[in-house]
Amino acid sequence: LYCTETAPGKTRPTRMGNWIVNHGLSALILVVWMAINIFLFLYFYFLYDLGDEYIYTRHLIGSALSWARAPAAVLNFNCLLILLPVCRNLLSLVRGSFMCCKRSMRKQLDKNLTFHKLTAYMIALMTAVHTIAHLLNVEWFNNSRQGYYDILSTELSELGDVANETFLNPVRSTTATPTLVVFTTIAGLTGVVITLCLILMITSSMEVIRRSFYEVFWYTHHLFIIFYAGLVFHGAGHGSGSSAP
């Protein structure tokens, strides 16, 4: 009889070594990516939640300011990354630069679609948090402008009514409604457009649709052009920020 069992002392190190060789770099990239996301979220959350320059804005909309801006920072980071794993020329260039390295190093590049999907999931999650927070922001900004809250909120909302005076509350009319604010401001309108583009791209990426109606998936994904254009204008037309003079 031949013994087919490997010595106990050699099995685990060998398996662990193989796992590190085959998946170690991917695991390291994921850990670094997640750590950056967590850092960005916490840093910007506490920046807007504790910063003295935002004290009056927080008086108007509370912690919704932090819950809107922290996901926005994570969104910017992941929107920067999500196209890199699907840039074929870039991947070919990087793969060619690793020709002198081990095959296992080059194999990590074959997991580009997995990383693309992970960043998409993060974008979807942060978009949901960002959108909910801003819906609350619009409601509370509008209520402050209508004078539903305390005297300080009303006076802060009236800043900007005088010519050449900086405003704090982006709702400039006492007769406005939250829906009107969303669809008549740059930040609100572009936010609706890029959110719709994101929903269409994500839903068309579902496996059942991608396999049965690949053309739908292919053409819908080209909405990323509108998505990024809207993202630029969305950031330029932000509606809540510093209350410092």
Side-chain angles (χ1 to χ4, degrees), residues 98-150:
F98 283 136
M99 290 300 294
C100 59
C101 303
K102 295 181 179 179
R103 183 181 302 175
S104 59
M105 295 289 290
R106 300 195 300 272
K107 285 175 61 178
Q108 308 303 320
L109 296 174
D110 296 333
K111 302 177 181 179
N112 58 318
L113 291 182
T114 300
F115 187 70
H116 177 75
K117 293 177 183 179
L118 287 176
T119 54
Y121 296 150
M122 182 63 72
I123 289 174
L125 175 61
M126 291 297 105
T127 296
V129 178
H130 183 73
T131 301
I132 293 172
H134 268 317
L135 290 176
L136 294 174
N137 286 341
V138 172
E139 182 71 26
W140 292 336
F141 271 136
N142 187 67
N143 289 343
S144 296
R145 184 62 176 169
Q146 308 302 327
Y148 293 159
Y149 300 142
D150 57 357

Side-chain angles (χ1 to χ4, degrees), residues 100-210:
C100 59
C101 303
K102 295 181 179 179
R103 183 181 302 175
S104 59
M105 295 289 290
R106 300 195 300 272
K107 285 175 61 178
Q108 308 303 320
L109 296 174
D110 296 333
K111 302 177 181 179
N112 58 318
L113 291 182
T114 300
F115 187 70
H116 177 75
K117 293 177 183 179
L118 287 176
T119 54
Y121 296 150
M122 182 63 72
I123 289 174
L125 175 61
M126 291 297 105
T127 296
V129 178
H130 183 73
T131 301
I132 293 172
H134 268 317
L135 290 176
L136 294 174
N137 286 341
V138 172
E139 182 71 26
W140 292 336
F141 271 136
N142 187 67
N143 289 343
S144 296
R145 184 62 176 169
Q146 308 302 327
Y148 293 159
Y149 300 142
D150 57 357
I151 296 176
L152 179 58
S153 296
T154 302
E155 292 180 349
L156 291 173
S157 298
E158 291 175 351
L159 292 174
D161 289 348
V162 180
N164 298 324
E165 186 178 46
T166 303
F167 68 86
L168 183 61
N169 189 333
V171 180
R172 306 311 310 144
S173 173
T174 56
T175 60
T177 62
T179 303
L180 183 64
V181 172
V182 169
F183 287 97
T184 57
T185 58
I186 296 177
L189 188 58
T190 55
V192 172
V193 171
I194 61 180
T195 302
L196 289 176
C197 290
L198 182 64
I199 291 173
L200 290 174
M201 287 189 290
I202 291 177
T203 53
S204 66
S205 298
M206 298 174 61
E207 186 174 359
V208 62
I209 296 179
R210 194 173 67 250

Side-chain angles (χ1 to χ4, degrees), residues 45-61:
Y45 180 88
F46 288 113
L47 174 66
Y48 287 99
D49 193 57
L50 302 176
D52 292 337
E53 62 269 36
Y54 304 103
I55 186 170
Y56 293 123
T57 307
R58 289 197 301 270
H59 184 83
L60 293 176
I61 57 178

Side-chain angles (χ1 to χ4, degrees), residues 82-101:
I82 193 168
L83 291 182
L84 297 180
V86 290
C87 292
R88 294 184 179 181
N89 292 336
L90 176 62
L91 291 176
S92 299
L93 177 63
V94 175
R95 186 178 283 107
S97 64
F98 283 136
M99 290 300 294
C100 59
C101 303

